């Protein structure tokens, strides 16, 4: 079956521009997560959506970062006024329920020049 | 104490060796435990869940010690293809998400 998909796979942008990253979770998965991984580093939790509940935004590094999940399915992560330190791989994962095993998408590699 | 702590390695072993990774976690109320594998420049993929009684999947054995808040992964008869970073993953205190360790890097050489 279809796994988690993300687009674009690569994004190069100039400092100060806004970017939108998209995630399509596995159908039927109620939980959706965004992570960030800088080169050679571990996964950094950003935000978590569960069903219709308010998202857990505790991992967002600044107010330039926001995310939405429409209709309980597709999610977009928006970074406004990008900075060079935002360069990383942004990974999306989904699971059937909280604390269940997560399945990851291939990630979006963001490069801010 | 960090929520999930792992020895970053790297562990460099020859083919055929047995290697063990350890992980400690801080939340005694955690109920979910997993090992994930991440290849270079790839996304993490589930290797195996970890159950209280311990479980085995081919050459891989996972153990959980709730009293010590300790998880282990044993790889027997290492293959070149086992070279990767192994992530220890634990459910968070709220029971709403998973916490990933920073990973242990394994390099298997011929």
């Amino acid at each position: 079956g279809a796994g988690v998909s993300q687009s674009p796979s690569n994004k190069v942008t100039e400092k100060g521009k806004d970017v939108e990253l998209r995630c399509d979770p596995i159908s039927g998965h109620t939980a959706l997560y965004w992570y960030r991984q800088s080169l050679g580093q571990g996964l950094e939790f950003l935000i978590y959506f569960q069903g219709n509940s308010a998202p857990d935004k505790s991992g967002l590094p600044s107010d330039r970062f926001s995310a939405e999940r429409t209709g309980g399915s597709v999610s977009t992560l928006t970074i406004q006024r990008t900075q060079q330190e935002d360069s990383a791989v942004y990974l999306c994962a989904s699971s059937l329920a909280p604390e269940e095993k997560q399945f990851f998408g291939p990630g979006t590699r963001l490069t801010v020049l | 104490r960090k929520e999930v702590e792992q020895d970053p390695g790297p562990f460099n072993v020859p083919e055929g060796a047995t290697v063990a990774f350890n992980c400690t976690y801080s939340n005694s109320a955690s109920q979910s435990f997993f090992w994930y594998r991440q290849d270079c420049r790839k996304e993490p993929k589930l290797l195996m869940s970890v159950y209280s009684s311990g479980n085995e999947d081919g050459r891989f054995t996972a153990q959980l010690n709730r009293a010590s808040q300790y998880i282990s992964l044993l790889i027997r008869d290492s293959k070149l293809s086992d070279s990767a970073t192994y992530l220890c993953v634990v459910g968070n205190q709220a029971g709403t998400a998973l916490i990933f360790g920073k990973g242990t890097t394994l390099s298997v050489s011929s």
Side-chain angles (χ1 to χ4, degrees):
Chain A
V4 178
S5 61
Q6 291 185 245
S7 61
S9 55
N10 281 284
K11 177 72 177 178
V12 180
T13 190
E14 293 178 347
K15 179 181 171 181
K17 300 281 190 185
D18 297 351
V19 295
E20 269 193 5
L21 313 180
R22 177 187 168 106
C23 172
D24 280 90
I26 293 172
S27 178
H29 281 195
T30 62
L32 186 147
Y33 307 81
W34 282 98
Y35 298 89
R36 178 168 74 173
Q37 189 171 34
S38 300
L39 189 62
Q41 300 298 309
L43 289 170
E44 177 187 0
F45 166 76
L46 296 177
I47 188 169
Y48 155 66
F49 295 90
Q50 169 55 34
N52 296 320
S53 303
D56 175 357
K57 304 179 182 180
S58 59
L60 294 179
S62 78
D63 59 7
R64 297 187 294 105
F65 288 73
S66 62
E68 290 185 340
R69 188 179 185 190
T70 53
S73 181
V74 172
S75 177
T76 54
L77 176 70
T78 301
I79 309 173
Q80 295 178 309
R81 306 181 302 283
T82 51
Q83 303 295 312
Q84 288 184 331
E85 61 262 29
D86 299 335
S87 296
V89 175
Y90 289 80
L91 290 157
C92 175
S94 70
S95 63
L96 270 174
E99 282 209 322
E100 292 287 327
K101 53 193 174 186
Q102 296 179 15
F103 296 85
F104 283 82
T108 293
R109 185 172 301 277
L110 175 66
T111 303
V112 182
L113 301 176
Chain B
R1 183 178 183 180
K2 292 181 183 175
E3 289 188 271
V4 180
E5 207 153 358
Q6 297 182 250
D7 180 346
F11 284 63
N12 298 304
V13 303
E15 274 185 294
T18 295
V19 61
F21 304 139
N22 302 320
C23 167
T24 56
Y25 61 94
S26 60
N27 176 18
S28 60
S30 293
Q31 298 295 324
S32 300
F33 309 92
F34 306 94
W35 282 101
Y36 275 71
R37 169 192 170 130
Q38 187 171 24
D39 292 283
C40 187
R41 300 175 74 87
K42 296 286 190 180
E43 73 273 22
K45 292 187 177 177
L46 178 68
L47 178 66
M48 60 195 302
S49 302
V50 185
Y51 303 116
S52 295
S53 54
N55 49 297
E56 189 173 305
D57 183 359
R59 298 181 293 109
F60 299 83
T61 301
Q63 296 279 353
L64 170 64
N65 184 323
R66 285 186 185 272
S68 301
Q69 293 175 215
Y70 169 97
I71 306 163
S72 67
L73 176 68
L74 182 77
I75 305 175
R76 292 181 299 278
D77 188 24
S78 299
K79 311 290 184 191
L80 293 174
S81 57
D82 293 336
S83 298
T85 297
Y86 290 83
L87 306 173
C88 176
V89 185
V90 177
N92 71 351
Q93 186 162 359
T96 56
L98 301 180
I99 308 297
F100 285 75
K102 294 197 181 298
T104 298
T105 299
L106 171 67
S107 177
V108 181
S109 56
S110 57

CSV table of all heavy atoms in Angstrom, one decimal, chain A residues 27-55:
chain,number,residue,atom,x,y,z
A,27,SER,N,-3.3,6.5,4.6
A,27,SER,CA,-4.7,6.7,4.8
A,27,SER,C,-5.2,5.9,6.0
A,27,SER,O,-4.8,4.8,6.3
A,27,SER,CB,-5.4,6.0,3.5
A,27,SER,OG,-6.8,6.1,3.7
A,28,GLY,N,-6.0,6.6,6.8
A,28,GLY,CA,-6.5,6.0,8.1
A,28,GLY,C,-5.7,6.3,9.3
A,28,GLY,O,-6.1,6.0,10.4
A,29,HIS,N,-4.5,6.8,9.1
A,29,HIS,CA,-3.7,7.2,10.3
A,29,HIS,C,-4.1,8.5,10.9
A,29,HIS,O,-4.2,9.5,10.2
A,29,HIS,CB,-2.2,7.3,9.8
A,29,HIS,CG,-1.5,6.0,9.7
A,29,HIS,ND1,-0.1,5.9,9.6
A,29,HIS,CD2,-2.0,4.7,9.6
A,29,HIS,CE1,0.2,4.6,9.5
A,29,HIS,NE2,-0.9,3.9,9.5
A,30,THR,N,-4.4,8.4,12.2
A,30,THR,CA,-5.0,9.6,12.8
A,30,THR,C,-3.9,10.6,13.4
A,30,THR,O,-4.1,11.7,13.6
A,30,THR,CB,-5.9,9.3,14.0
A,30,THR,OG1,-5.1,8.5,15.0
A,30,THR,CG2,-7.0,8.4,13.5
A,31,ALA,N,-2.7,10.0,13.6
A,31,ALA,CA,-1.6,10.8,14.2
A,31,ALA,C,-0.6,11.2,13.1
A,31,ALA,O,-0.2,10.3,12.3
A,31,ALA,CB,-0.9,10.0,15.3
A,32,LEU,N,-0.2,12.4,13.1
A,32,LEU,CA,0.8,12.9,12.1
A,32,LEU,C,1.8,13.8,12.9
A,32,LEU,O,1.5,14.6,13.7
A,32,LEU,CB,0.1,13.7,11.0
A,32,LEU,CG,0.9,14.2,9.9
A,32,LEU,CD1,0.1,14.3,8.6
A,32,LEU,CD2,1.6,15.5,10.1
A,33,TYR,N,3.1,13.6,12.5
A,33,TYR,CA,4.2,14.2,13.2
A,33,TYR,C,5.1,14.9,12.2
A,33,TYR,O,5.3,14.4,11.1
A,33,TYR,CB,5.0,13.2,14.0
A,33,TYR,CG,4.2,12.3,14.9
A,33,TYR,CD1,3.6,11.2,14.4
A,33,TYR,CD2,4.2,12.6,16.3
A,33,TYR,CE1,2.9,10.4,15.3
A,33,TYR,CE2,3.5,11.8,17.1
A,33,TYR,CZ,2.8,10.7,16.6
A,33,TYR,OH,2.1,9.9,17.5
A,34,TRP,N,5.7,16.0,12.6
A,34,TRP,CA,6.7,16.6,11.8
A,34,TRP,C,8.0,16.6,12.7
A,34,TRP,O,7.9,17.0,13.9
A,34,TRP,CB,6.4,18.1,11.4
A,34,TRP,CG,5.5,18.2,10.3
A,34,TRP,CD1,4.1,18.5,10.3
A,34,TRP,CD2,5.8,18.2,8.9
A,34,TRP,NE1,3.6,18.6,9.1
A,34,TRP,CE2,4.6,18.4,8.2
A,34,TRP,CE3,7.0,18.1,8.2
A,34,TRP,CZ2,4.6,18.5,6.8
A,34,TRP,CZ3,7.0,18.1,6.8
A,34,TRP,CH2,5.7,18.3,6.1
A,35,TYR,N,9.1,16.3,12.0
A,35,TYR,CA,10.4,16.3,12.7
A,35,TYR,C,11.4,17.1,11.8
A,35,TYR,O,11.2,17.2,10.6
A,35,TYR,CB,11.0,14.9,12.9
A,35,TYR,CG,10.2,14.0,13.8
A,35,TYR,CD1,9.2,13.2,13.2
A,35,TYR,CD2,10.5,13.9,15.1
A,35,TYR,CE1,8.5,12.3,14.1
A,35,TYR,CE2,9.8,13.0,15.9
A,35,TYR,CZ,8.8,12.2,15.4
A,35,TYR,OH,8.0,11.4,16.2
A,36,ARG,N,12.5,17.5,12.4
A,36,ARG,CA,13.6,18.1,11.6
A,36,ARG,C,14.9,17.4,12.0
A,36,ARG,O,15.1,17.0,13.1
A,36,ARG,CB,13.7,19.6,12.0
A,36,ARG,CG,14.8,20.3,11.3
A,36,ARG,CD,14.6,21.8,11.5
A,36,ARG,NE,15.0,22.2,12.9
A,36,ARG,CZ,15.0,23.5,13.2
A,36,ARG,NH1,14.8,24.5,12.3
A,36,ARG,NH2,15.3,23.9,14.5
A,37,GLN,N,15.7,17.2,11.0
A,37,GLN,CA,17.0,16.5,11.2
A,37,GLN,C,18.1,17.3,10.5
A,37,GLN,O,18.1,17.3,9.2
A,37,GLN,CB,16.9,15.0,10.8
A,37,GLN,CG,18.1,14.2,11.2
A,37,GLN,CD,18.0,12.7,10.9
A,37,GLN,OE1,17.3,12.3,10.0
A,37,GLN,NE2,18.5,11.9,11.8
A,38,SER,N,18.9,17.9,11.3
A,38,SER,CA,20.1,18.5,10.7
A,38,SER,C,21.2,17.5,10.4
A,38,SER,O,21.2,16.4,11.0
A,38,SER,CB,20.6,19.6,11.6
A,38,SER,OG,19.6,20.6,11.8
A,39,LEU,N,22.1,17.8,9.5
A,39,LEU,CA,23.1,16.9,9.1
A,39,LEU,C,23.9,16.3,10.3
A,39,LEU,O,24.4,17.0,11.1
A,39,LEU,CB,24.1,17.6,8.2
A,39,LEU,CG,25.1,16.7,7.5
A,39,LEU,CD1,24.4,15.7,6.5
A,39,LEU,CD2,26.1,17.5,6.7
A,40,GLY,N,23.9,15.0,10.4
A,40,GLY,CA,24.6,14.3,11.4
A,40,GLY,C,24.0,14.4,12.8
A,40,GLY,O,24.6,13.9,13.8
A,41,GLN,N,22.7,14.9,12.9
A,41,GLN,CA,22.1,15.1,14.2
A,41,GLN,C,20.9,14.1,14.3
A,41,GLN,O,20.4,13.5,13.3
A,41,GLN,CB,21.6,16.5,14.3
A,41,GLN,CG,22.7,17.5,14.3
A,41,GLN,CD,23.7,17.4,15.4
A,41,GLN,OE1,23.4,17.3,16.5
A,41,GLN,NE2,25.0,17.3,15.0
A,42,GLY,N,20.3,14.1,15.5
A,42,GLY,CA,19.1,13.2,15.8
A,42,GLY,C,17.9,13.9,15.3
A,42,GLY,O,17.9,15.1,14.8
A,43,LEU,N,16.8,13.2,15.4
A,43,LEU,CA,15.5,13.8,15.1
A,43,LEU,C,15.0,14.8,16.1
A,43,LEU,O,15.1,14.6,17.3
A,43,LEU,CB,14.4,12.7,15.0
A,43,LEU,CG,14.5,11.7,13.9
A,43,LEU,CD1,13.6,10.6,14.1
A,43,LEU,CD2,14.2,12.4,12.6
A,44,GLU,N,14.6,16.0,15.6
A,44,GLU,CA,14.0,17.0,16.5
A,44,GLU,C,12.5,17.1,16.3
A,44,GLU,O,12.1,17.5,15.2
A,44,GLU,CB,14.7,18.3,16.2
A,44,GLU,CG,14.2,19.5,17.0
A,44,GLU,CD,14.8,20.9,16.5
A,44,GLU,OE1,15.6,20.9,15.5
A,44,GLU,OE2,14.5,21.9,17.0
A,45,PHE,N,11.8,16.8,17.3
A,45,PHE,CA,10.3,16.9,17.2
A,45,PHE,C,9.9,18.3,17.0
A,45,PHE,O,10.3,19.2,17.7
A,45,PHE,CB,9.7,16.3,18.5
A,45,PHE,CG,8.2,16.6,18.6
A,45,PHE,CD1,7.3,16.0,17.9
A,45,PHE,CD2,7.8,17.6,19.5
A,45,PHE,CE1,5.9,16.2,18.0
A,45,PHE,CE2,6.4,17.9,19.6
A,45,PHE,CZ,5.5,17.2,18.9
A,46,LEU,N,8.9,18.5,16.1
A,46,LEU,CA,8.4,19.9,15.8
A,46,LEU,C,7.0,20.0,16.2
A,46,LEU,O,6.6,20.9,17.1
A,46,LEU,CB,8.5,20.2,14.3
A,46,LEU,CG,9.9,20.3,13.7
A,46,LEU,CD1,9.9,20.5,12.2
A,46,LEU,CD2,10.8,21.3,14.4
A,47,ILE,N,6.1,19.2,15.7
A,47,ILE,CA,4.7,19.4,15.9
A,47,ILE,C,3.9,18.0,15.7
A,47,ILE,O,4.4,17.2,15.0
A,47,ILE,CB,4.1,20.5,15.0
A,47,ILE,CG1,2.6,20.8,15.4
A,47,ILE,CG2,4.1,20.1,13.6
A,47,ILE,CD1,2.1,22.1,14.8
A,48,TYR,N,2.8,17.9,16.4
A,48,TYR,CA,2.1,16.6,16.4
A,48,TYR,C,0.6,16.9,16.3
A,48,TYR,O,0.0,17.8,17.0
A,48,TYR,CB,2.4,15.9,17.7
A,48,TYR,CG,1.4,14.9,18.1
A,48,TYR,CD1,1.1,13.7,17.4
A,48,TYR,CD2,0.7,15.1,19.4
A,48,TYR,CE1,0.2,12.8,17.9
A,48,TYR,CE2,-0.2,14.1,19.8
A,48,TYR,CZ,-0.5,13.0,19.1
A,48,TYR,OH,-1.4,12.1,19.6
A,49,PHE,N,-0.1,16.2,15.3
A,49,PHE,CA,-1.5,16.3,15.2
A,49,PHE,C,-2.2,15.0,15.5
A,49,PHE,O,-1.7,13.9,15.1
A,49,PHE,CB,-1.9,16.6,13.7
A,49,PHE,CG,-1.4,18.0,13.2
A,49,PHE,CD1,-0.2,18.1,12.7
A,49,PHE,CD2,-2.2,19.1,13.4
A,49,PHE,CE1,0.3,19.3,12.2
A,49,PHE,CE2,-1.8,20.3,12.9
A,49,PHE,CZ,-0.5,20.4,12.3
A,50,GLN,N,-3.3,15.0,16.2
A,50,GLN,CA,-4.0,13.8,16.5
A,50,GLN,C,-5.5,14.1,16.3
A,50,GLN,O,-6.1,14.8,17.1
A,50,GLN,CB,-3.7,13.3,18.0
A,50,GLN,CG,-4.7,12.2,18.5
A,50,GLN,CD,-4.7,11.0,17.6
A,50,GLN,OE1,-3.6,10.6,17.0
A,50,GLN,NE2,-5.8,10.4,17.5
A,51,GLY,N,-6.0,13.5,15.3
A,51,GLY,CA,-7.5,13.6,15.0
A,51,GLY,C,-7.9,15.1,15.0
A,51,GLY,O,-7.2,15.9,14.3
A,52,ASN,N,-8.9,15.4,15.7
A,52,ASN,CA,-9.4,16.8,15.7
A,52,ASN,C,-8.9,17.6,16.9
A,52,ASN,O,-9.4,18.7,17.1
A,52,ASN,CB,-10.9,16.8,15.7
A,52,ASN,CG,-11.5,16.2,14.4
A,52,ASN,OD1,-11.0,16.4,13.3
A,52,ASN,ND2,-12.5,15.4,14.5
A,53,SER,N,-8.0,17.0,17.7
A,53,SER,CA,-7.5,17.7,18.9
A,53,SER,C,-6.6,18.8,18.5
A,53,SER,O,-6.0,18.8,17.4
A,53,SER,CB,-6.8,16.7,19.7
A,53,SER,OG,-7.6,15.6,20.1
A,54,ALA,N,-6.4,19.8,19.4
A,54,ALA,CA,-5.5,20.9,19.1
A,54,ALA,C,-4.1,20.3,19.0
A,54,ALA,O,-3.7,19.4,19.8
A,54,ALA,CB,-5.5,21.8,20.3
A,55,PRO,N,-3.3,20.7,18.1
A,55,PRO,CA,-2.0,20.1,17.9
A,55,PRO,C,-1.0,20.5,19.0
A,55,PRO,O,-1.2,21.5,19.7
A,55,PRO,CB,-1.5,20.8,16.6
A,55,PRO,CG,-2.3,22.0,16.4
A,55,PRO,CD,-3.6,21.8,17.1
